[in-house]
Each structure stands twice: as structure tokens, then as C-alpha cells.
Amino acid sequence: MNTYLPLGKFSFGMGDRFAHQGKAQLHACVLAAELGVEFIPVWNKSNREHTFIGTEPASLRAEADAAVKALGWKRPYHVDADHIRLETVDRFIAPSDFFTIDVADSIGKPANAADVQAFVDRHPELIGTISIPHIEQPFAITRAEVERVANKFLLATQDAGKIYRHIAGAKGAEHFITEVSMDETDTPQTPPELLIILAALADQKIPLQTIAPKFTGRFNKGVDYVGDVRQFEKEFTDDLAVIAFAIKKYGLPSSLKLSVHSGSDKFSLYEPIRRALKKSGAGVHLKTAGTTWLEELIGLAEAGGDGLELAKEIYAYAIEHVDEFCAPYASVIDIDKAKLPSASIVKGWSSRQFTDALRHDQKNPAYNPSFRQLLHVSFKVAAKKGDRYLNALKKHEAIIAKNVTENLFERHMKPLLLLAR
């Protein structure tokens, strides 16, 4: 397999829409390291987010570098070109050293028939009864099933190969980490399908270090997992076993691990993930994004005065444009409009009422998942505020930073800290 930049065992994807919370985010990694667990920070921001806010990928690199310098972080760290495709990757090549290659749009589009047949012929080991260590029931896979899976996923893996080679040609394979994302699609990939996909990615000579499949259940933005937790744990555990098998079978990098996208706030899954990783000895990449933007709003509301007023204004505009803001995220949010308070009601709220509704504390009866999800996808409103919003972040930096760090460390990293114990 090709040379590549190595990725640590446990890595943590951190999104920061407005590039002001790098130090606060990294502080959470510092606290985890003090307790003996190394989370490698990976700052991520997608082309869509840069476009919405009007920023350039270099700004994320500058934020990460500044945070590392300020906190004296001596461990590795990375900057992720999140959810890129061939038409969007070029602006990310210079500042990024982690590329999340998104091929979801190619899933379900059939590859060339000759390519499908060649793939099936090249992999007779995928046909028949396949025993995977640590999976109780062997996979029984027919040739027709391999052809079906190849018809659905082979073009996506070929596209991933094209994008990988484009980046490697411009940057050098030893200078970046490759993730392939297949999570933003309609149906989950089963463990047998994942095995076939990994064989196809190995054929593309991609030194894959993380793969983001779609799991069963709903991974909505900024709220907890919705689905059968036991079924998720079985899928996750079986996927880990498939990855370990594929590493040996196809010469994939030994550091290859699962990536959990929209991993922020999936509190009910952290214990099952911890159990599975402890049992298998595997690593994981947990990708969070908008949770930091929400902590900025919480910090502004907590500050009171002009901070609270700004948070209320952002909500008032968001609820007026609810359909517009929700449309791009329709597959990853579930908002009950009947549970969204009116702008006039929110205008009368205290700091405590606003933060109780927004902060992800499921024990608090005032917590409102619909309110939280709408604000999660409404960061464009803050972007339109321009310097007013950015100046508010600076003015209230201390209280915002406290919320950002506590959210990542206490609610996200801490439930996973027992991984290495």
C-alpha cells in the first residue's frame, strides 16, 4: 500500500464555523491527555461551510496552528478538508493534511459492466462462506451478491481513487491522511457490504486510514442518536472485525479505523463504542462539527446583555427562514415545528431560559431538541451579522471558551476516556 501520513489511534474531529474556538477546543484535548488518553485533534470544515460563511480553507489551518502554538501542544494535529469531491478539492490541497473524500453521490450509480465483472473475477475470496474472527455467524455471499454490491458501490470507490490520486499528485502521498465517507446516503452498509467495499478501495491503492459508513439509525445534527442502540453496537462491533480482517487480507494500513460522522452529542452510543473498542483494541475517529457553534450561542446567551440580545436575534431570523435553512440538512435533522417557540416568546426569555432550551442536557425538562437543531443549521445568520458577531465572540471569549471546552471534554471525550484503561 502507498506511503501515507499516519493518524493516531483515537482522533477527534472538531468543527469551528467561525474559527475563533481553536484554543478552547484544543484545551479539551489537553485535559484528556492529562488523564492519559491521547485524542488527536482534527479541525474540520467543509466546502459548503466555507461557502456559506465566506471563508477560505487557509483560515482553518491558521486557526489550528495558532491554537497549537498558544497551548504548546506537542502531539500531532491535522486540518481536514471535510466532505470534498474532485470539483471542490483544489482550494484545500495546500492548507489541509486530512481529506474526507465524500463519494455518497456516486453510490447507487452503476459502474461500467466490464469493471464490475473484472472486480468479481479478481476477488473469488469474497464468494462463498467467509469466516471473520470475532463475528459469530460466517458471511454467506453468492457471486450474484458480490455483483449487486459492486453495481451499487464500485463507481463510488473508483471516484474515491480518482480524488485520492489527484491529491497525491499535487501534494505527495506521504503528506496527508485519507478518509472515505459513505454516510450521507439512504441506506446503511451492512458488514458484508463493507468487506466488499474495502476490497474495492484496496484495488484503488488508497492508503485508507478511516472510513465513515452509514450506520443504522438517525445521526441527526446536534442531538442524540435515534434508533436501536443494541443493533448499532452489533453493527459497530462487526464492522470493526471486518476492518481488522480486511487490513490483513488486502494490505490496508494497520491504522485503518471507523469514523463516526455527526458524532457530536450521540451520548447514548459512547458507552457501546467504548465497549467495542476496548474489546477489539481498535481506534476510532469521532467527528463533531456544529456543536461548537452552539456552544458559542450558549456562551453569548449566558453573558446576558448584548450577547443574549444577539442570540435572540439569530433565532428570530432562523425561525422566519426555517424551511430555507433546513432544506440542505433534511436527511440529518428532525424538527417538530410545533415545538419551536415563537420569536416573540424567545424575545422575552432570560439567559437561563435560552440556555436551558439550547444546551444538550436531556435531564433538563426545558431542553428543546427542535430549537437546538434549528439553531444548529442556522449559522448563516451569524455569518450575515459579520463583524458584529465576531466582535461579540471576542468580547465574551472567556465565557464562550469555558462552554466550548466543557462541552467537548465533559460530554464527549470523558465518556470515551476509559478506552485506554
Side-chain angles (χ1 to χ4, degrees), residues 162-217:
K162 290 176 185 175
I163 299 167
Y164 165 77
R165 289 186 288 276
H166 181 80
I167 301 166
K171 196 173 183 75
E174 69 276 15
H175 296 303
F176 68 96
I177 292 158
T178 305
E179 171 174 296
V180 172
S181 165
M182 295 186 165
D183 63 306
E184 293 190 358
T185 186
D186 293 335
T187 56
Q189 293 97 39
T190 65
E193 286 177 333
L194 180 61
L195 177 62
I196 297 168
I197 290 166
L198 290 173
L201 290 170
D203 283 354
Q204 293 294 319
K205 309 296 185 191
I206 302 172
L208 188 68
Q209 289 197 71
T210 87
I211 186 164
K214 182 178 178 65
F215 298 104
T216 295

Side-chain angles (χ1 to χ4, degrees), residues 272-307:
I273 289 173
R274 186 177 71 238
R275 280 197 299 265
L277 297 179
K278 187 176 182 180
K279 185 177 180 181
S280 66
V284 71
H285 181 59
L286 185 74
K287 182 170 284 190
T288 69
T291 188
T292 289
W293 139 248
L294 293 177
E295 293 303 318
E296 287 182 342
L297 280 183
I298 289 169
L300 289 173
E302 237 176 18
D306 61 342

Side-chain angles (χ1 to χ4, degrees), residues 341-358:
S342 67
S344 59
I345 288 175
V346 171
K347 188 175 182 179
W349 277 1
S350 65
S351 289
R352 180 66 179 271
Q353 286 174 300
F354 196 101
T355 58
D356 280 356
L358 184 54

Side-chain angles (χ1 to χ4, degrees), residues 244-352:
F245 181 83
I247 287 170
K248 294 179 180 178
K249 193 76 174 176
Y250 300 115
L252 290 162
S254 60
S255 54
L256 175 59
K257 57 188 177 178
L258 282 174
S259 181
V260 182
H261 280 202
S262 293
S264 57
D265 301 279
K266 303 302 177 283
F267 304 141
S268 61
L269 298 184
Y270 294 163
E271 184 177 346
I273 289 173
R274 186 177 71 238
R275 280 197 299 265
L277 297 179
K278 187 176 182 180
K279 185 177 180 181
S280 66
V284 71
H285 181 59
L286 185 74
K287 182 170 284 190
T288 69
T291 188
T292 289
W293 139 248
L294 293 177
E295 293 303 318
E296 287 182 342
L297 280 183
I298 289 169
L300 289 173
E302 237 176 18
D306 61 342
L308 176 60
E309 184 61 30
L310 182 55
K312 289 177 179 180
E313 283 182 28
I314 289 170
Y315 178 73
Y317 191 93
I319 197 167
E320 284 181 10
H321 299 81
V322 58
D323 292 333
E324 173 193 340
F325 291 150
C326 291
Y329 298 94
S331 65
V332 285
I333 55 173
D334 285 314
I335 292 176
D336 184 347
K337 292 182 182 178
K339 294 183 179 178
L340 290 172
S342 67
S344 59
I345 288 175
V346 171
K347 188 175 182 179
W349 277 1
S350 65
S351 289
R352 180 66 179 271

